Amino acid sequence: MTDQSSFRFQGAIALSAWLFIGLSGCSVKSTELSNQAQAAAKSSSSRGTAPDISLKGTVEADGSSTVYPITQAVAEEFTKLHPAVAVRVNISGTGGGFKRFKEGDLDICDASRPILDEERAACIKNKVSFIELPIGIDGISVVVNAKNTWCEGLTVEKLKKLWEPGSTVKTWNDLDPSYPNEKIVLYGPDTDSGTFDYFTEVICGKKGKSRTDYTPNSNDNVLIQGVQGNAGALGYFGYAYYVLNKDTLRALKIAPGNDQAAGIAPTDETILSGKYSPLSRPLFLYVNKRSLARPEIISFLQFYLDRGPSLVKEVHYIPLPESGNKAFTYKVSRDRLQQGIDD
């Protein structure tokens, strides 16, 4: 069996090509987005189908806190129709999920970045064959406290100056002389996070390359609370978490060039179009092909790709195109799943 090839995004150029040519414990849940996922599941029609208690078994998913609300929303609705199937969705970060996945300990790894070469090699060594299923699009949001009245946006160069290793930026005035001499308090994902990996690669120039004097956490709600509690704070995390907290947070406009006035804010439209660059990125499920021998896994994944697009939108991420001349579409994911089932 061969692994599905993984597409890597290298900043704005690769993302544009795709769009236009083509918690410190794994049982910790994000309460606010868990509620959002449940609400989305409840609001989505079950098409009048009666519950089927004949399908039994378990589905074990872990990984990205960004992908979590999508998978949780799908799980909530799936178990309405198949109450005898136990679907467990946990959060340990993309890297934490892959640690379990490469050992064969997971059916599904939620991932906010493509699998790394070393993770792929470990899967091969452990005879864990897999398929990669794109399921949506995110725009990493750089946010400040709503009381921050001085900064509307930043260039990628200034973001790098702020976040790169050895950064000497301590106050807003260090970042820009027109800003007040107020301490910048930084919040961001921990090193097991796919969001951390992606952000550091496209902003700082190398995956994992970041200053360390910030408050890290795998629970995005902790990061949100940190930024909410300090007028001088700045943090970054997935778009859905920003959307749910717009009343207390403000997303900065990000300019890929040197003109700060040309910055683009994350919105559904700018993320989908690729204008919000280079912080737009695809979201994935990685599926252990061995798990496809179990009917509850096949049923769950088919359901995910059928109902997922509407739930992706309801939990404030961006659905993929259904089909077309693009690298990642729901048709591509359905074809990959079917191929994995047939192998």
Side-chain angles (χ1 to χ4, degrees):
M1 293 184 290
T2 60
D3 296 346
Q4 290 284 347
S5 61
S6 174
F7 294 86
R8 295 186 179 278
F9 285 70
Q10 301 295 330
I13 295 176
L15 178 65
S16 178
W18 165 55
L19 288 167
F20 296 109
I21 67 169
L23 306 158
S24 59
C26 65
S27 64
V28 179
K29 295 186 177 180
S30 163
T31 302
E32 185 173 6
L33 272 171
S34 177
N35 292 338
Q36 181 75 5
Q38 293 177 32
K42 289 177 181 177
S43 68
S44 183
S45 168
S46 295
R47 299 179 180 176
T49 304
D52 176 9
I53 61 173
S54 64
L55 185 66
K56 299 179 181 180
T58 61
V59 179
E60 183 82 13
D62 196 358
S64 169
S65 63
T66 302
V67 180
Y68 167 81
I70 305 171
T71 302
Q72 180 65 15
V74 174
E76 293 280 348
E77 190 168 357
F78 179 80
T79 53
K80 290 180 184 178
L81 300 180
H82 302 285
V85 178
V87 183
R88 296 190 287 265
V89 188
N90 299 314
I91 300 174
S92 61
T94 297
F98 276 127
K99 286 176 183 176
R100 297 184 62 193
F101 187 80
K102 67 188 181 184
E103 297 296 329
D105 191 36
L106 274 183
D107 300 311
I108 300 167
C109 180
D110 292 340
S112 60
R113 59 159 172 78
I115 191 169
L116 303 178
D117 290 342
E118 54 265 35
E119 293 164 341
R120 179 186 295 274
C123 286
I124 293 172
K125 179 181 178 181
N126 295 332
K127 295 182 171 53
V128 177
S129 188
F130 60 84
I131 56 174
E132 176 192 81
L133 304 178
I135 48 88
I137 312 169
D138 176 35
I140 298 174
S141 300
V142 181
V143 305
V144 294
N145 188 287
K147 294 178 181 178
N148 180 325
T149 59
W150 56 88
C151 182
E152 295 292 329
L154 294 171
T155 64
V156 168
E157 183 179 352
K158 285 185 177 179
L159 270 182
K160 180 180 180 181
K161 181 180 178 182
L162 176 61
W163 282 98
E164 66 185 349
S167 174
T168 59
V169 176
K170 302 295 183 182
T171 67
W172 284 95
N173 187 258
D174 290 337
L175 195 60
D176 190 304
S178 68
Y179 296 158
N181 186 26
E182 180 163 347
K183 183 180 179 180
I184 297 182
V185 182
L186 295 173
Y187 295 86
D190 65 16
T191 56
D192 270 341
S193 167
T195 301
F196 173 84
D197 289 338
Y198 189 90
F199 183 89
T200 53
E201 184 170 7
V202 301
I203 298 300
C204 298
K206 184 179 180 181
K207 178 178 64 67
K209 185 179 180 182
S210 173
R211 67 189 297 168
T212 57
D213 56 337
Y214 74 99
T215 300
N217 205 288
S218 61
N219 184 344
D220 293 305
N221 284 322
V222 173
L223 306 180
I224 289 167
Q225 291 164 11
V227 179
Q228 288 171 335
N230 192 307
L234 179 146
Y236 67 91
F237 37 75
Y239 178 64
Y241 290 85
Y242 156 66
V243 171
L244 289 175
N245 293 276
K246 282 184 175 181
D247 55 336
T248 56
L249 303 176
R250 184 161 50 79
L252 297 182
K253 298 176 182 178
I254 304 301
N258 295 323
D259 183 6
Q260 190 162 306
I264 302 294
T267 66
D268 290 11
E269 292 75 19
T270 61
I271 293 169
L272 179 61
S273 69
K275 291 181 180 179
Y276 184 64
S277 173
L279 293 176
S280 295
R281 55 166 179 178
L283 304 173
F284 303 94
L285 301 182
Y286 284 82
V287 181
N288 187 329
K289 290 181 73 172
R290 189 176 295 123
S291 297
L292 293 176
R294 290 157 36 210
E296 71 271 22
I297 301 295
I298 293 175
S299 182
F300 177 76
L301 290 168
Q302 289 174 335
F303 186 88
Y304 201 123
L305 295 178
D306 178 33
R307 306 302 295 278
S310 63
L311 294 172
V312 165
K313 187 172 183 179
E314 288 186 46
V315 298
H316 305 298
Y317 290 115
I318 317 302
L320 297 172
E322 184 60 35
S323 60
N325 185 26
K326 297 181 180 179
F328 292 148
T329 65
Y330 286 114
K331 183 179 185 306
V332 167
S333 292
R334 291 189 186 99
D335 289 346
R336 289 184 183 181
L337 175 58
Q338 189 59 52
Q339 183 63 50
I341 294 170
D342 293 340
D343 283 349

